[in-house]
Every structure is written in C-alpha cells, then in structure tokens.
Amino acid sequence: MLYVFDVDGTLSFNGTEINEMINEMIIESIKKLEQYSNQIAFASARPIRDLLPIIPAFTDNHLLIDGNGSIVQMKNNTSNEK
C-alpha cells in the first residue's frame, strides 16, 4: 500500500521539523509501516530542497512530491513530466 504524508501543517507545524513533541513517535510509526512492505511518500507545496531538512530520516528511496504535485523525486531522480 502507498501512504502519502502531507508535511506542511500535518507532520510539521513550524516548517522546519516534524512536530518535536511527537517526533519520535511519528518517525517510529512511519518506519513500522515500511517494515510491512508499504511504500511511503511525502508531499509538500515547498520545493524538494526545502522538504528534505524536515524529513531527514526519510530522504533515501522515498517518493517526494513538491510544488503541489508538479515535481516528483524518487531515488534521487527528479521529474516534472506529467
């Protein structure tokens, strides 16, 4: 199954990190989803370069969607083709 997490206003409320009060619990829960062969993606209106510092535990081999879907990065390959 594919789980897509919105970052801005859902995982991060300050725009710089996953909510610090529940950071560890969120990261552990997302990693547990991966252990059960689920695919994880992160979506944001911000550019991917600004998204990466917010999700440092999930920067490798994850689907990243920025610009409200205009650009997608998977395994460090970026595409804006529709």
Side-chain angles (χ1 to χ4, degrees):
M1 180 170 276
L2 171 63
Y3 290 89
V4 180
F5 292 94
D6 175 51
V7 174
D8 303 302
T10 305
L11 293 179
S12 176
F13 294 97
N14 64 8
T16 60
E17 62 188 359
I18 293 175
N19 186 321
E20 64 185 46
M21 293 182 65
I22 54 175
N23 182 2
E24 196 170 308
M25 184 174 57
I26 290 173
I27 291 172
E28 287 178 18
S29 297
I30 293 172
K31 287 185 176 190
K32 186 173 260 187
L33 286 172
E34 288 184 301
Q35 290 174 354
Y36 291 102
S37 300
N38 295 297
Q39 185 180 6
I40 304 299
F42 296 93
S44 176
R46 67 182 65 225
I48 289 174
R49 71 171 183 270
D50 295 339
L51 175 60
L52 294 175
I54 298 175
I55 55 166
F58 302 102
T59 56
D60 294 331
N61 300 319
H62 288 89
L63 178 63
L64 304 177
I65 304 164
D66 85 348
N68 293 323
S70 64
I71 299 178
V72 175
Q73 177 176 307
M74 181 65 175
K75 296 183 182 178
N76 297 321
N77 293 318
T78 304
S79 174
N80 61 357
E81 296 178 16
K82 299 261 180 181

